[in-house]
Amino acid sequence: MSLIVLLAYWYTYSKWYILGSWFITHILNIAFKRLWLSPLLINALALIVLFVGIYYKLIEGQEVGASVLNVYMPIVFSSIIMNLLIFTIRKIRIKLKN
């Protein structure tokens, strides 16, 4: 599966997870002022929810792979990409001020 197909698949089926991840990442960035902390917290929470679902057999068999692909990966990936964009914009603003 190419990256473009994967991104299209995520947008089609996981857009609410991605939008929620961006919102929570934004809230965590405001709260903690550290760009590296919010993706770690979001990743930890997503893993906990995934493992709880597996432990209590809410997610079984092929649903585990689909859950990782459609829920976990878009959440973490979008949070990381958002913070990389914020980091890049901040660096550009600092260079433009000087």
Side-chain angles (χ1 to χ4, degrees), residues 28-39 83 90:
L28 290 174
N29 284 339
I30 291 170
F32 294 118
K33 303 286 187 202
R34 304 274 183 200
L35 290 179
W36 56 269
L37 187 59
S38 58
N83 277 348
R90 286 182 184 176

Side-chain angles (χ1 to χ4, degrees), residues 61-72:
Q62 291 182 346
E63 292 175 353
V64 173
S67 294
V68 168
L69 182 64
N70 291 331
V71 179
Y72 171 73

Side-chain angles (χ1 to χ4, degrees), residues 4 7 10 36 41 45 49 72 74 89 98:
I4 299 297
L7 290 175
W10 283 355
W36 56 269
L41 292 173
L45 183 62
V49 169
Y72 171 73
I89 290 169
N98 294 332

Side-chain angles (χ1 to χ4, degrees), residues 34-97:
R34 304 274 183 200
L35 290 179
W36 56 269
L37 187 59
S38 58
L40 290 177
L41 292 173
I42 289 172
N43 185 19
L45 183 62
L47 278 175
I48 289 169
V49 169
L50 184 65
F51 286 132
V52 165
I54 293 169
Y55 180 77
Y56 287 112
K57 302 207 185 303
L58 299 171
I59 305 170
E60 293 180 330
Q62 291 182 346
E63 292 175 353
V64 173
S67 294
V68 168
L69 182 64
N70 291 331
V71 179
Y72 171 73
M73 287 182 62
I75 289 172
V76 175
F77 183 74
S78 63
S79 177
I80 291 170
I81 293 299
M82 179 180 177
N83 277 348
L84 286 175
L85 288 173
I86 292 170
F87 177 77
T88 305
I89 290 169
R90 286 182 184 176
K91 289 297 181 183
I92 290 171
R93 284 185 185 167
I94 289 172
K95 287 189 178 193
L96 289 177
K97 285 184 181 180

